[in-house]
Amino acid sequence: MNKISWREDFDETCQDILEDAFLLDALSVYLFSGGEFANERWADCFPLVFHRLCGYLSQHAMDLHRLGKRAGPDPQ
């Protein structure tokens, strides 16, 4: 197995997690700040957005699990 390939996949997945977590945090801060966007017709979209971001985070967790299996056991 190519260690560089594994590391690139790992780094990419970590970056995806950081971006999704940032979006989730920004959305929650906006909602709690009482932004106009939350009070209009767009408010119905928030559950879908949260659901989608949670799905992305779950997928990234599965990706990390798969990468861990590819890497094999830790050397002792």
Side-chain angles (χ1 to χ4, degrees):
M1 179 180 80
N2 186 350
K3 289 272 185 187
I4 294 171
S5 172
W6 179 91
R7 185 64 193 187
E8 287 173 359
D9 289 345
F10 179 81
D11 290 345
E12 183 179 318
T13 300
C14 288
Q15 181 65 34
D16 289 343
I17 290 170
L18 288 171
E19 290 170 5
D20 291 344
F22 176 77
L23 289 173
L24 229 133
D25 188 47
L27 188 56
S28 66
V29 167
Y30 185 78
L31 285 172
F32 286 116
S33 73
E36 290 179 25
F37 188 70
N39 298 323
E40 297 181 9
R41 63 186 170 106
W42 296 104
D44 293 338
C45 297
F46 285 123
L48 178 60
V49 171
F50 277 117
H51 177 72
R52 179 165 278 185
L53 285 170
C54 289
Y56 290 156
L57 289 170
S58 295
Q59 179 63 46
H60 300 322
M62 289 178 6
D63 291 344
L64 289 176
H65 180 73
R66 189 181 69 250
L67 285 168
K69 284 186 171 187
R70 271 178 48 193
D74 289 336
Q76 298 284 326

XYZ file of all heavy atoms in Angstrom:
619
model
N 0.833 -1.176 0.000
C 0.000 0.000 0.000
C 0.885 1.250 0.000
O 1.882 1.315 0.684
C -0.895 0.004 1.236
C -1.765 1.234 1.287
S -2.834 1.299 2.721
C -1.683 1.886 3.927
N 0.486 2.214 -0.737
C 1.231 3.458 -0.862
C 0.886 4.383 0.310
O -0.219 4.873 0.432
C 0.887 4.113 -2.201
C 1.718 5.335 -2.468
O 2.433 5.825 -1.610
N 1.612 5.830 -3.683
N 1.857 4.644 1.181
C 1.629 5.482 2.368
C 1.272 6.922 1.986
O 0.503 7.565 2.665
C 2.865 5.481 3.260
C 3.106 4.189 3.969
C 2.369 4.185 5.271
C 2.735 2.920 6.031
N 1.963 2.751 7.219
N 1.847 7.436 0.903
C 1.553 8.807 0.483
C 0.086 8.925 0.099
O -0.588 9.870 0.487
C 2.471 9.249 -0.675
C 3.922 9.318 -0.185
C 2.033 10.592 -1.241
C 4.935 9.541 -1.279
N -0.441 7.944 -0.627
C -1.841 7.958 -1.028
C -2.751 7.954 0.199
O -3.729 8.689 0.262
C -2.143 6.741 -1.908
O -3.511 6.653 -2.157
N -2.420 7.115 1.187
C -3.218 7.058 2.401
C -3.205 8.407 3.099
O -4.231 8.918 3.533
C -2.664 5.979 3.342
C -3.428 5.878 4.618
C -4.496 5.074 4.854
C -3.209 6.624 5.826
N -4.953 5.267 6.137
C -4.178 6.224 6.759
C -2.284 7.587 6.203
C -4.252 6.744 8.039
C -2.366 8.124 7.485
C -3.334 7.696 8.381
N -2.043 9.016 3.196
C -1.909 10.301 3.891
C -2.676 11.401 3.165
O -3.318 12.245 3.802
C -0.418 10.667 4.007
C -0.157 11.900 4.794
C -0.579 11.687 6.229
N -0.599 12.969 6.907
C -0.791 13.111 8.180
N -0.978 12.065 8.941
N -0.802 14.288 8.719
N -2.644 11.400 1.844
C -3.389 12.396 1.075
C -4.886 12.235 1.311
O -5.598 13.231 1.494
C -3.061 12.279 -0.408
C -1.679 12.782 -0.759
C -1.303 12.505 -2.201
O -2.099 11.895 -2.945
O -0.193 12.893 -2.586
N -5.381 10.994 1.297
C -6.797 10.744 1.567
C -7.172 11.186 2.976
O -8.229 11.776 3.200
C -7.133 9.261 1.389
C -7.120 8.820 -0.066
O -7.142 9.697 -0.962
O -7.093 7.600 -0.306
N -6.311 10.897 3.930
C -6.548 11.286 5.316
C -6.609 12.805 5.447
O -7.531 13.357 6.060
C -5.447 10.716 6.217
C -5.604 11.097 7.663
C -6.481 10.403 8.483
C -4.866 12.146 8.189
C -6.640 10.760 9.813
C -5.009 12.504 9.524
C -5.897 11.813 10.337
N -5.636 13.500 4.863
C -5.600 14.964 4.930
C -6.834 15.579 4.271
O -7.409 16.543 4.780
C -4.329 15.509 4.282
C -3.080 15.207 5.087
O -3.199 14.838 6.280
O -1.974 15.311 4.520
N -7.254 15.023 3.150
C -8.431 15.528 2.446
C -9.687 15.343 3.295
O -10.528 16.247 3.386
C -8.590 14.810 1.106
C -9.746 15.321 0.285
C -9.852 14.609 -1.052
O -8.807 14.381 -1.688
O -10.975 14.278 -1.435
N -9.821 14.182 3.917
C -10.976 13.921 4.765
C -10.988 14.856 5.968
O -12.033 15.388 6.336
C -11.009 12.446 5.208
O -11.079 11.611 4.050
C -12.204 12.162 6.101
N -9.839 15.076 6.572
C -9.752 16.010 7.703
C -10.153 17.419 7.273
O -10.873 18.117 7.993
C -8.351 16.007 8.293
S -7.960 14.516 9.220
N -9.716 17.844 6.108
C -10.079 19.164 5.595
C -11.593 19.251 5.372
O -12.223 20.258 5.712
C -9.327 19.461 4.293
C -9.620 20.820 3.706
C -9.151 21.966 4.587
O -8.142 21.873 5.262
N -9.897 23.052 4.596
N -12.186 18.205 4.818
C -13.637 18.176 4.618
C -14.379 18.297 5.944
O -15.385 19.011 6.052
C -14.059 16.889 3.908
C -13.640 16.834 2.455
O -13.303 17.897 1.881
O -13.648 15.727 1.884
N -13.898 17.600 6.966
C -14.529 17.653 8.286
C -14.450 19.073 8.846
O -15.443 19.599 9.367
C -13.871 16.652 9.252
C -14.234 15.222 8.838
C -14.296 16.921 10.692
C -13.442 14.152 9.565
N -13.294 19.691 8.738
C -13.140 21.059 9.231
C -14.086 22.023 8.520
O -14.715 22.879 9.148
C -11.701 21.525 9.067
C -10.686 20.910 10.012
C -9.268 21.306 9.587
C -10.951 21.344 11.438
N -14.216 21.891 7.206
C -15.095 22.772 6.443
C -16.556 22.563 6.827
O -17.302 23.537 7.004
C -14.891 22.540 4.945
C -13.552 23.030 4.453
C -13.243 22.591 3.032
O -14.115 21.964 2.371
O -12.132 22.880 2.564
N -16.981 21.316 6.965
C -18.368 21.043 7.337
C -18.665 21.506 8.758
O -19.734 22.054 9.032
C -18.681 19.553 7.197
C -18.698 19.104 5.744
O -18.768 19.966 4.843
O -18.640 17.880 5.508
N -17.722 21.295 9.670
C -17.911 21.761 11.040
C -17.992 23.288 11.085
O -18.802 23.854 11.832
C -16.778 21.260 11.932
N -17.180 23.953 10.284
C -17.219 25.414 10.211
C -18.585 25.885 9.711
O -19.174 26.817 10.263
C -16.102 25.929 9.293
C -16.131 27.413 9.086
C -15.660 28.272 10.063
C -16.636 27.945 7.912
C -15.690 29.649 9.879
C -16.675 29.319 7.711
C -16.203 30.168 8.699
N -19.099 25.256 8.672
C -20.415 25.633 8.145
C -21.513 25.403 9.177
O -22.411 26.237 9.348
C -20.722 24.837 6.870
C -19.924 25.213 5.638
C -20.201 24.227 4.510
C -20.255 26.628 5.198
N -21.466 24.279 9.871
C -22.455 23.986 10.897
C -22.389 25.016 12.018
O -23.419 25.508 12.490
C -22.208 22.583 11.454
C -23.452 21.729 11.510
C -23.132 20.359 10.940
C -23.928 21.572 12.903
N -21.187 25.356 12.433
C -21.020 26.340 13.492
C -21.522 27.709 13.050
O -22.224 28.398 13.800
C -19.550 26.411 13.909
C -19.336 27.270 15.121
O -20.090 27.120 16.105
O -18.417 28.110 15.096
N -21.174 28.117 11.842
C -21.615 29.415 11.332
C -23.140 29.475 11.245
O -23.753 30.491 11.608
C -20.997 29.680 9.958
N -23.751 28.404 10.797
C -25.202 28.368 10.687
C -25.855 28.451 12.061
O -26.826 29.197 12.256
C -25.635 27.090 9.959
C -27.097 26.961 9.590
C -27.549 28.152 8.746
C -27.323 25.663 8.837
N -25.327 27.737 13.028
C -25.917 27.780 14.367
C -25.728 29.153 15.009
O -26.642 29.668 15.659
C -25.348 26.679 15.253
O -23.982 26.884 15.504
N -24.569 29.784 14.834
C -24.349 31.129 15.372
C -25.333 32.104 14.742
O -25.937 32.940 15.425
C -22.888 31.591 15.144
C -22.734 33.085 15.395
C -21.941 30.798 16.020
N -25.540 31.980 13.451
C -26.466 32.867 12.754
C -27.885 32.691 13.279
O -28.594 33.670 13.526
C -26.407 32.614 11.255
C -27.256 33.588 10.487
C -26.805 34.884 10.255
C -28.507 33.215 10.016
C -27.586 35.787 9.568
C -29.290 34.124 9.321
C -28.828 35.406 9.104
O -29.605 36.301 8.432
N -28.295 31.449 13.471
C -29.642 31.196 13.972
C -29.836 31.781 15.371
O -30.863 32.380 15.666
C -29.932 29.696 13.993
C -30.201 29.048 12.647
C -30.282 27.542 12.786
C -31.479 29.595 12.041
N -28.851 31.594 16.237
C -28.967 32.088 17.596
C -28.847 33.603 17.685
O -29.276 34.201 18.660
C -27.937 31.416 18.515
C -28.293 30.003 18.847
C -27.483 28.960 18.426
C -29.441 29.705 19.557
C -27.813 27.651 18.720
C -29.785 28.396 19.860
C -28.964 27.370 19.442
N -28.294 34.224 16.660
C -28.174 35.679 16.672
C -29.458 36.358 16.205
O -29.564 37.578 16.243
C -27.005 36.132 15.796
O -27.326 35.972 14.428
N -30.424 35.553 15.737
C -31.696 36.117 15.302
C -31.618 36.813 13.972
O -32.346 37.772 13.725
N -30.765 36.328 13.088
C -30.626 36.936 11.764
C -31.930 36.941 10.988
O -32.808 36.102 11.187
N -32.086 37.921 10.130
C -33.314 38.048 9.334
C -33.602 36.791 8.531
O -34.750 36.415 8.346
C -33.190 39.234 8.374
C -33.215 40.576 9.047
C -33.070 41.696 8.041
O -33.423 41.495 6.859
O -32.598 42.763 8.438
N -32.565 36.178 8.045
C -32.713 34.993 7.211
C -33.490 33.905 7.951
O -34.298 33.201 7.362
C -31.329 34.490 6.815
C -31.325 33.380 5.811
C -31.693 33.607 4.494
C -30.948 32.100 6.171
C -31.669 32.595 3.559
C -30.923 31.081 5.243
C -31.288 31.325 3.939
N -33.284 33.795 9.261
C -33.934 32.762 10.059
C -35.411 33.049 10.262
O -36.172 32.146 10.588
C -33.242 32.626 11.410
N -35.835 34.282 10.075
C -37.219 34.662 10.339
C -38.090 34.669 9.088
O -39.262 34.971 9.173
C -37.251 36.045 10.997
C -36.542 36.032 12.333
O -36.619 35.066 13.067
N -35.842 37.105 12.634
N -37.540 34.366 7.957
C -38.299 34.426 6.715
C -38.585 33.029 6.187
O -38.367 32.033 6.872
C -37.524 35.250 5.689
C -37.355 36.692 6.140
C -36.603 37.540 5.127
O -36.361 37.067 4.000
O -36.248 38.667 5.473
N -39.042 32.950 4.978
C -39.418 31.666 4.377
C -38.260 30.675 4.317
O -38.463 29.478 4.236
C -39.996 31.878 2.986
C -39.026 32.480 1.999
C -39.719 32.810 0.673
N -38.845 33.590 -0.156
C -38.219 33.120 -1.214
N -38.383 31.880 -1.573
N -37.430 33.895 -1.921
N -37.027 31.170 4.376
C -35.855 30.294 4.306
C -35.692 29.445 5.557
O -34.951 28.468 5.554
C -34.599 31.121 4.075
C -34.615 31.823 2.749
C -34.843 33.131 2.524
C -34.426 31.223 1.467
N -34.803 33.407 1.187
C -34.546 32.237 0.506
C -34.166 29.924 1.050
C -34.422 31.993 -0.849
C -34.041 29.687 -0.310
C -34.168 30.709 -1.244
N -36.366 29.814 6.627
C -36.244 29.063 7.882
C -36.634 27.597 7.691
O -36.108 26.723 8.383
C -37.091 29.703 8.973
N -37.508 27.313 6.762
C -37.919 25.925 6.495
C -36.774 25.093 5.932
O -36.807 23.865 6.001
C -39.095 25.884 5.513
C -40.371 26.469 6.106
O -40.473 26.518 7.347
O -41.256 26.875 5.329
N -35.772 25.727 5.379
C -34.630 25.018 4.781
C -33.613 24.570 5.818
O -32.821 23.661 5.558
C -33.932 25.908 3.760
S -34.962 26.349 2.359
N -33.612 25.183 6.995
C -32.577 24.877 7.986
C -32.533 23.414 8.409
O -31.446 22.846 8.507
C -32.689 25.793 9.199
C -32.200 27.184 8.919
C -33.026 28.270 9.106
C -30.916 27.410 8.447
C -32.580 29.550 8.839
C -30.462 28.679 8.170
C -31.295 29.755 8.366
N -33.682 22.771 8.662
C -33.582 21.347 9.037
C -32.903 20.508 7.954
O -32.098 19.630 8.266
C -35.031 20.925 9.241
C -35.752 22.183 9.595
C -35.061 23.259 8.797
N -33.183 20.802 6.699
C -32.551 20.069 5.606
C -31.052 20.339 5.560
O -30.247 19.417 5.365
C -33.190 20.440 4.267
C -32.609 19.785 3.025
C -32.723 18.264 3.115
C -33.300 20.295 1.783
N -30.660 21.582 5.773
C -29.235 21.937 5.766
C -28.511 21.224 6.909
O -27.448 20.631 6.712
C -29.048 23.470 5.857
C -27.585 23.830 6.067
C -29.605 24.149 4.611
N -29.088 21.253 8.109
C -28.472 20.563 9.242
C -28.382 19.067 8.971
O -27.369 18.427 9.253
C -29.263 20.802 10.531
C -28.924 22.092 11.206
C -29.886 23.081 11.358
C -27.650 22.332 11.705
C -29.578 24.274 11.991
C -27.336 23.523 12.329
C -28.300 24.496 12.471
N -29.450 18.507 8.427
C -29.458 17.072 8.112
C -28.357 16.729 7.109
O -27.619 15.752 7.286
C -30.827 16.667 7.568
C -30.912 15.248 7.150
N -30.945 14.206 8.050
C -30.946 14.678 5.923
C -31.006 13.061 7.401
N -31.005 13.315 6.104
N -28.221 17.544 6.088
C -27.205 17.287 5.070
C -25.794 17.400 5.649
O -24.930 16.557 5.391
C -27.365 18.245 3.902
C -26.295 18.012 2.828
C -26.640 18.680 1.564
N -27.561 17.818 0.856
C -28.001 18.061 -0.365
N -27.619 19.129 -1.002
N -28.823 17.239 -0.961
N -25.544 18.427 6.442
C -24.215 18.585 7.043
C -23.901 17.442 8.003
O -22.766 16.946 8.035
C -24.100 19.929 7.758
C -23.942 21.146 6.845
C -24.084 22.435 7.635
C -22.611 21.108 6.119
N -24.885 16.995 8.762
C -24.668 15.843 9.646
C -24.374 14.589 8.830
O -23.532 13.775 9.211
C -25.878 15.624 10.545
S -26.048 16.889 11.814
N -25.036 14.442 7.708
C -24.757 13.316 6.817
C -23.336 13.370 6.287
O -22.653 12.346 6.207
N -22.884 14.565 5.918
C -21.503 14.713 5.452
C -20.515 14.317 6.543
O -19.537 13.609 6.295
C -21.216 16.157 5.033
C -21.891 16.629 3.774
C -22.115 17.982 3.570
C -22.304 15.742 2.787
C -22.730 18.441 2.408
C -22.925 16.194 1.630
C -23.129 17.539 1.448
O -23.723 17.988 0.316
N -20.768 14.773 7.779
C -19.865 14.446 8.877
C -19.853 12.945 9.142
O -18.796 12.365 9.417
C -20.245 15.231 10.134
C -19.948 16.734 10.058
C -20.586 17.468 11.234
C -18.454 16.986 10.022
N -21.005 12.302 9.052
C -21.062 10.846 9.225
C -20.261 10.143 8.137
O -19.548 9.174 8.412
C -22.513 10.361 9.190
O -23.227 10.861 10.282
N -20.379 10.615 6.912
C -19.626 10.018 5.808
C -18.124 10.183 6.031
O -17.346 9.259 5.805
C -20.022 10.653 4.476
C -19.263 10.111 3.289
C -19.514 8.630 3.063
O -20.649 8.181 3.098
N -18.458 7.858 2.854
N -17.714 11.349 6.496
C -16.293 11.567 6.764
C -15.789 10.639 7.869
O -14.664 10.131 7.790
C -16.027 13.021 7.137
C -16.417 14.005 6.084
N -16.246 13.781 4.726
C -16.980 15.233 6.181
C -16.688 14.827 4.053
N -17.138 15.705 4.908
N -16.621 10.417 8.880
C -16.235 9.491 9.956
C -16.046 8.087 9.392
O -15.090 7.386 9.748
C -17.273 9.497 11.066
N -16.928 7.673 8.497
C -16.780 6.356 7.857
C -15.527 6.316 6.993
O -14.827 5.303 6.962
C -18.031 6.025 7.036
C -19.217 5.731 7.919
S -20.814 5.363 7.128
C -20.544 5.277 5.423
N -15.223 7.419 6.304
C -14.002 7.497 5.498
C -12.765 7.311 6.375
O -11.836 6.586 6.010
C -13.911 8.827 4.759
C -14.938 8.978 3.654
O -15.532 7.962 3.236
O -15.166 10.129 3.228
N -12.741 7.989 7.534
C -11.604 7.845 8.440
C -11.486 6.417 8.959
O -10.376 5.887 9.078
C -11.723 8.826 9.607
C -11.507 10.288 9.272
C -11.746 11.157 10.501
C -10.114 10.525 8.718
N -12.613 5.801 9.250
C -12.596 4.403 9.711
C -11.998 3.498 8.627
O -11.150 2.651 8.898
C -14.015 3.962 10.073
C -14.107 2.563 10.546
N -13.658 2.165 11.787
C -14.593 1.450 9.945
C -13.862 0.870 11.922
N -14.427 0.421 10.820
N -12.426 3.707 7.391
C -11.911 2.922 6.266
C -10.417 3.157 6.067
O -9.640 2.228 5.839
C -12.684 3.264 4.994
C -12.361 2.353 3.817
C -13.115 2.724 2.554
N -12.642 3.986 2.010
C -13.345 5.125 2.014
N -14.549 5.163 2.527
N -12.839 6.227 1.496
N -9.995 4.418 6.186
C -8.568 4.724 6.045
C -7.760 4.074 7.153
O -6.630 3.618 6.918
C -8.356 6.246 6.068
C -8.753 6.980 4.785
C -8.776 8.485 5.032
C -7.813 6.632 3.656
N -8.314 4.045 8.360
C -7.625 3.376 9.460
C -7.416 1.899 9.185
O -6.352 1.349 9.499
N -8.404 1.260 8.584
C -8.252 -0.159 8.229
C -7.204 -0.340 7.141
O -6.457 -1.303 7.165
C -9.597 -0.725 7.776
C -10.547 -0.985 8.910
C -11.786 -1.680 8.390
C -12.628 -2.133 9.567
N -13.750 -2.958 9.143
N -7.170 0.598 6.181
C -6.170 0.517 5.108
C -4.764 0.668 5.644
O -3.825 0.036 5.160
C -6.410 1.617 4.076
C -7.341 1.244 2.980
C -7.600 2.335 1.999
N -6.408 3.010 1.508
C -6.434 4.163 0.831
N -7.572 4.747 0.580
N -5.322 4.704 0.413
N -4.609 1.514 6.668
C -3.290 1.770 7.234
C -2.774 0.574 8.022
O -1.575 0.410 8.181
C -3.336 3.008 8.113
N -3.676 -0.240 8.516
C -3.266 -1.414 9.285
C -3.015 -1.068 10.739
O -3.189 0.066 11.176
N -2.566 -2.049 11.504
C -2.333 -1.815 12.936
C -1.144 -0.895 13.177
O -0.243 -0.811 12.369
C -2.057 -3.219 13.484
C -1.588 -4.002 12.305
C -2.261 -3.408 11.089
N -1.218 -0.203 14.304
C -0.107 0.677 14.690
C 1.111 -0.164 15.046
O 0.985 -1.192 15.720
C -0.479 1.520 15.920
C -1.497 2.590 15.593
O -1.577 2.988 14.415
O -2.211 3.018 16.499
N 2.280 0.254 14.599
C 3.497 -0.484 14.989
C 3.721 -0.339 16.504
O 3.539 0.732 17.059
C 4.621 0.178 14.201
C 4.057 1.445 13.660
C 2.556 1.379 13.755
N 4.095 -1.417 17.119
C 4.296 -1.412 18.592
C 5.755 -1.146 18.906
O 6.651 -1.576 18.357
C 3.878 -2.752 19.180
C 2.408 -3.027 18.948
C 1.474 -2.249 19.863
O 1.800 -1.997 21.007
N 0.339 -1.841 19.358
